[in-house]
Amino acid sequence: MTFEHPRAASPDTALVATSPATFAPASMPEYLEKTYWWAYTHPNAVRVFERQWLVNLILWGNFSRLRDAALQELGDVIHGNVLQVACVYGNFTQHLVRRLSPQAHLNVIDVAPVQIKNLHDKLADKRQVSISQQDASELRFEDASQDAVVVFFLLHEMPVDVRHKTISEALRVTKPGGKIVFVDYHQPARRNPFRYIMVPILTLLEPFAMDLWRGNIADWLPKHLPYSRIDEHTYFGGLYQKVVVTR
Ligand SMILES: C[S@@+](CC[C@H](N)C(=O)[O-])C[C@H]1O[C@@H](n2cnc3c(N)ncnc32)[C@H](O)[C@@H]1O
């Protein structure tokens, strides 16, 4: 399997430094191997999960709505450098690519080689895209190098310390005035039956998700990286949230 060298693919995506150590493969986080091997790192995972109807079913029919809500924050036409933190099953990245202006560039990172290969296979046209193996909690992009960053259903899969670092990294690499768009689970309103239906499902399959329910993404924002505004929206009776932080 060959991975695109991120620097060679896009000279202006502002990856940090040039020492070979910078590009040593990121090691696979223990939580991912232990908890999500069946969904992301096992070679058969892609064969099972890379189906649009299945990812839509997992989100109770809300995939397109949430995808479009996230992408609309970046604009009908996206300019500059955009970073997608972690691959997403389904057509999320294809829709993002379609919005890129001719000069725009998309960086996608993921820590799992299986997912990197899958994204290479899924994208027909990669002229404006760089895909690199990186850990979201230790990004190899310079400070303020991205015009926008999107983090779609990643935070609930992370232990709280990794989540903290990932949010901090997303802010660090975003330019002043740029947006960081988080879409993820959220604790639904009391009258929403999904508040009860989802607890056993998430507890069994996604053990780090419940503390995302109990907290607020806003509470995990790093104190040392200022932002100018934060907008929060919920969907589907509160089961999902979009949090947009403007640097
Ligand atoms: C974005 S999340 C979940 C998205 C959604 N559930 C879906 O349908 O794909 C899944 C991705 O996050 C990646 N991932 C998890 N932890 C990561 C980390 N620390 N750094 C980079 N990628 C990570 C996994 O390898 C996987 O490809």
Side-chain angles (χ1 to χ4, degrees), residues 29 31-32 40 55 85-89 109-112 115 134-137 152-154 156-158 162:
Y31 72 85
L32 196 60
Y40 302 123
V55 292
V85 181
C87 295
V88 176
Y89 286 130
I109 69 99
D110 199 286
V111 78
Q115 297 299 326
Q134 297 190 32
D135 192 313
S137 63
F152 194 76
F153 282 96
L154 175 64
H156 76 279
E157 297 184 345
M158 298 176 138
V162 183

Side-chain angles (χ1 to χ4, degrees), residues 26-29 31-32 36 39-41 49-50 54-56 58-59 63 84-90 109-116 122 132-139 151-159 162 166 184-185 206:
S27 51
M28 192 69 79
Y31 72 85
L32 196 60
Y36 284 109
Y40 302 123
T41 65
F49 287 99
E50 191 53 86
L54 182 55
V55 292
N56 194 34
I58 289 169
L59 294 179
F63 181 92
Q84 179 189 324
V85 181
C87 295
V88 176
Y89 286 130
I109 69 99
D110 199 286
V111 78
V114 168
Q115 297 299 326
I116 302 253
K122 273 202 294 188
S132 57
Q133 198 257 349
Q134 297 190 32
D135 192 313
S137 63
E138 223 173 331
L139 292 174
V151 186
F152 194 76
F153 282 96
L154 175 64
L155 299 181
H156 76 279
E157 297 184 345
M158 298 176 138
V162 183
T166 296
D184 221 304
Y185 286 106
E206 314 225 52

Side-chain angles (χ1 to χ4, degrees), residues 180-241:
I180 305 104
V181 182
F182 299 100
V183 174
D184 221 304
Y185 286 106
H186 177 270
Q187 186 171 38
R190 282 186 197 284
R191 63 184 180 286
N192 185 342
F194 284 98
R195 181 178 171 115
Y196 310 98
I197 293 168
M198 287 305 288
V199 171
I201 296 174
L202 292 180
T203 305
L204 183 69
L205 297 174
E206 314 225 52
F208 310 115
M210 290 313 294
D211 60 31
L212 188 70
W213 277 43
R214 289 188 281 265
N216 281 315
I217 290 175
D219 298 336
W220 286 298
L221 294 174
K223 304 275 179 283
H224 64 288
L225 294 168
Y227 59 90
S228 59
R229 68 180 275 171
I230 180 160
D231 296 292
E232 298 170 325
H233 303 263
T234 58
Y235 301 86
F236 205 55
L239 179 59
Y240 306 111
Q241 62 182 318

Side-chain angles (χ1 to χ4, degrees), residues 9 17 33 39 47 52 58 63-64 69 77 80 82-83 112 114 127 131 163 189-190 213 215 230-231 241 247:
E33 285 282 35
R47 218 170 325 136
Q52 193 61 43
I58 289 169
F63 181 92
S64 309
V77 179
V82 186
L83 171 62
V114 168
R127 278 176 298 181
I131 307 169
R163 186 183 307 150
R190 282 186 197 284
W213 277 43
I230 180 160
D231 296 292
Q241 62 182 318
R247 280 283 268 143

